[in-house]
């Protein structure tokens, strides 16, 4: 190589390295920001685009809009909303968010009837407190919708929405409950369990059993099965996040990573 060509080669090599770095950054782990609404959490997952996990309740629109704006997110930035299940405090604003953003709605196939009705299924209490709570159950109705993607037996890759991660159906809390897993061990599990006292901010990092499950035994089995996977942090629909170790303590398992 002549001495004239050498600097050009060096510049070319530097460009190749720079391009590699840029690729590594865009291919890196998404950032996660949890927005705590009146009755539930919405998780803002930012990769190349924005994916929301859950949509809040129908009274949360102003609070959600303000929280997104405070984080520099416009409605049009949202590529998809993954609804962990069809209960009113998680799917309540799904139709409204789609109208404003054009985002794709992803829902578990088992919860299609709930979304079509715009109404919770019959809550099945898991303990005495739950029986009492059920009498005060919050507004079970919301705007009905049909999702753009019904997640069935096959996992769905979120890469199409700019986030490295997969979503799959884990029937238990509801027939179509979904779990989103990121490659770095973070998982979004909806109402698979509750964080904190009554799912609130008190003791938020302490996991416990949710008050209502369509299929309690199957939900408990899901927790054990997820502990067999490389999940390190569980982001919840209420309270949380909780660590793998805390989940193992709360649900009495010796499952190892
Ligand atoms: Zn629920």
């Amino acid at each position: 190589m002549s001495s004239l060509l050498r600097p050009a080669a060096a510049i070319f090599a530097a460009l190749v390295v720079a391009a590699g770095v840029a690729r590594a950054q865009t291919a890196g782990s998404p950032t996660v920001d949890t927005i705590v609404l009146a009755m539930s959490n919405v998780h803002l997952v930012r990769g190349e685009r924005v994916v929301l996990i859950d949509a809040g309740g129908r009274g949360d629109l102003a609070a959600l809009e303000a929280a997104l704006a405070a984080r520099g997110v416009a409605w049009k930035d949202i590529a998809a909303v993954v609804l962990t299940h069809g209960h009113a405090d998680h799917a309540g604003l799904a139709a409204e968010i789609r109208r404003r953003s054009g985002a794709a709605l992803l829902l578990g196939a088992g919860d299609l009837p709930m979304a079509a009705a715009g109404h919770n299924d019959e809550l099945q209490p898991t303990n005495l407190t739950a029986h009492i709570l059920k009498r005060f159950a919050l507004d079970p109705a919301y705007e009905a919708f049909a999702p753009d993607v019904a997640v069935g037996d096959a996992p769905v890759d979120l890469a199409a929405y700019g986030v490295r991660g997969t979503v799959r159906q884990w029937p238990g809390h509801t027939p179509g409950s979904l779990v989103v897993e990121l490659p770095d061990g973070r998982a979004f599990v909806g109402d698979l369990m509750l964080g904190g006292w009554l799912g609130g901010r008190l003791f938020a990092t302490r996991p416990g059993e949710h008050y209502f499950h369509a299929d309690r035994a199957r939900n408990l089995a899901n927790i054990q099965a997820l502990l067999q996977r490389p999940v390190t942090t569980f982001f919840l629909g209420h309270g949380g996040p909780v660590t793998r170790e805390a989940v193992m303590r709360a649900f009495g398992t010796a499952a190892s990573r």
Side-chain angles (χ1 to χ4, degrees):
M1 190 183 292
S2 82
S3 59
L4 264 179
L5 281 176
R6 219 169 280 139
I11 289 167
F12 179 71
L15 287 174
V16 168
V17 169
V21 168
R23 225 178 2 256
Q25 280 168 351
T26 52
S29 289
T31 62
V32 175
D33 198 355
T34 295
I35 298 168
V36 181
L37 297 171
M39 288 309 303
S40 60
N41 297 329
V42 169
H43 306 285
L44 172 63
V45 183
R46 261 191 271 211
E48 287 167 35
R49 294 195 68 194
V50 171
V51 169
L52 295 186
I53 315 284
D54 278 334
R58 60 179 178 173
D60 289 325
L61 182 61
L64 178 60
E65 187 164 46
L68 291 172
R71 289 161 176 81
V73 175
W75 290 117
K76 65 170 171 44
D77 299 332
I78 303 169
V81 185
V82 178
L83 302 151
T84 61
H85 60 292
H87 282 161
D89 49 342
H90 299 261
L93 286 174
E96 181 67 33
I97 294 174
R98 179 166 59 187
R99 253 196 309 278
R100 288 170 180 247
S101 65
L105 301 180
L106 284 73
L107 181 77
D111 283 5
L112 286 172
M114 243 187 282
H119 201 283
N120 286 356
D121 56 358
E122 175 78 13
L123 299 176
Q124 308 292 334
T126 56
N127 58 31
L128 182 62
T129 310
H131 278 280
I132 297 164
L133 280 176
K134 191 177 170 184
R135 292 171 164 269
F136 303 98
L138 301 156
D139 185 1
Y142 58 93
E143 185 180 346
F145 66 92
D148 301 277
V149 178
V151 181
D153 293 334
V156 170
D157 195 335
L158 294 177
Y161 310 106
V163 165
R164 288 183 66 220
T166 53
V167 54
R168 71 185 74 211
Q169 198 170 227
W170 291 78
H173 176 64
T174 61
S177 285
L178 298 180
V179 169
V180 173
E181 289 177 79
L182 304 187
D184 62 7
R186 289 177 292 180
F188 302 84
V189 302
D191 284 0
L192 181 79
M193 61 189 86
L194 280 182
W197 189 67
L198 292 173
R201 290 179 213 198
L202 209 56
F203 310 119
T205 57
R206 196 181 295 172
E209 184 166 35
H210 196 283
Y211 294 106
F212 307 101
H213 291 305
D215 187 337
R216 185 188 183 197
R218 197 161 178 193
N219 188 77
L220 286 169
N222 287 349
I223 294 173
Q224 302 302 329
L226 276 163
L227 284 168
Q228 300 295 330
R229 301 175 66 81
V231 179
T232 53
T233 310
F234 294 75
F235 288 86
L236 312 178
H238 309 274
V242 299
T243 63
R244 169 187 189 80
E245 290 70 29
V247 173
M248 287 168 67
R249 273 196 302 277
F251 293 92
T253 176
S256 58
R257 198 182 296 173

